[in-house]
Amino acid sequence: MESSRDKHSIKKLSINQEGASLFAAILIALFALFALSGLYFALTKLLSSSHTIKTYASVRDAAAGGVNHAVMLLQGKSITDDYCPQNNPLILKFRLAETSGVYENKINICFMSYVTPTGFEVLGVAYTKEIPGEKGNIYTIISEAIGPQDTRSRIEAVYAR
């Protein structure tokens, strides 16, 4: 009886699991890769706010939004003093509420002069105030939004940084 037990032991009847664990590891790695690529796609394409086209109520609001965008660029100091795209303005796309179509807002940001002490006149600008702390620069911002049926709104602003 002892000899028949040796022939049919559990070890002899079990199936070899080494190949199945390798297959399972490769399958888990593929699922993790798909999950990470889906997360990357969602973060870069679906949730990117820098490439969205803003919607405004009127062309005038779009022009004001262009000035706000230019001020944010100047505050972030991503505009240098020698930047003045006369022939190549910044172009922002926008939509209008309750209309279809995408329209353009052309923005020119030009360095005009350095901030001067109080009482001195700057060419093309009213009298300036002295800025406390660091002395800055003066920029002109021209935002021209072109809407449906060639409606236009132009806002000119002066910004001291």
Side-chain angles (χ1 to χ4, degrees):
M1 202 182 250
E2 294 284 328
S3 63
S4 68
R5 285 187 196 163
D6 290 338
K7 292 179 185 176
H8 301 292
S9 68
I10 294 175
K11 188 173 184 179
K12 288 182 180 178
L13 294 177
S14 66
I15 299 172
N16 190 359
Q17 296 289 329
E18 291 177 13
S21 62
L22 177 64
F23 177 75
I26 291 172
L27 193 62
I28 290 171
L30 283 175
F31 282 132
L33 182 67
F34 284 135
L36 287 175
S37 64
L39 183 64
Y40 175 76
F41 176 78
L43 290 176
T44 57
K45 301 294 181 189
L46 299 178
L47 299 178
S48 66
S49 61
S50 62
H51 298 292
T52 59
I53 298 175
K54 292 187 177 184
T55 303
Y56 295 99
S58 66
V59 179
R60 183 77 171 166
D61 291 340
V67 171
N68 290 335
H69 180 74
V71 168
M72 287 175 51
L73 288 176
L74 287 169
Q75 286 177 347
K77 297 185 180 180
S78 60
I79 302 292
T80 58
D81 293 344
D82 57 349
Y83 181 78
C84 188
Q86 295 288 341
N87 299 325
N88 191 14
L90 295 172
I91 296 177
L92 291 178
K93 304 279 186 185
F94 70 94
R95 295 180 196 265
L96 290 176
E98 300 178 5
T99 61
S100 61
V102 178
Y103 308 105
E104 288 186 349
N105 186 2
K106 296 177 183 176
I107 304 167
N108 285 316
I109 306 168
C110 293
F111 170 72
M112 189 165 43
S113 70
Y114 296 102
V115 173
T116 59
T118 306
F120 290 92
E121 186 175 352
V122 178
L123 185 62
V125 180
Y127 290 95
T128 61
K129 295 181 180 177
E130 190 171 338
I131 297 176
E134 285 186 26
K135 301 290 185 208
N137 302 329
I138 296 177
Y139 296 88
T140 58
I141 301 169
I142 300 171
S143 174
E144 186 173 7
I146 303 169
Q149 300 173 353
D150 204 30
T151 55
R152 294 174 184 259
S153 180
R154 180 180 172 117
I155 295 179
E156 298 180 11
V158 177
Y159 177 76
R161 175 175 63 172

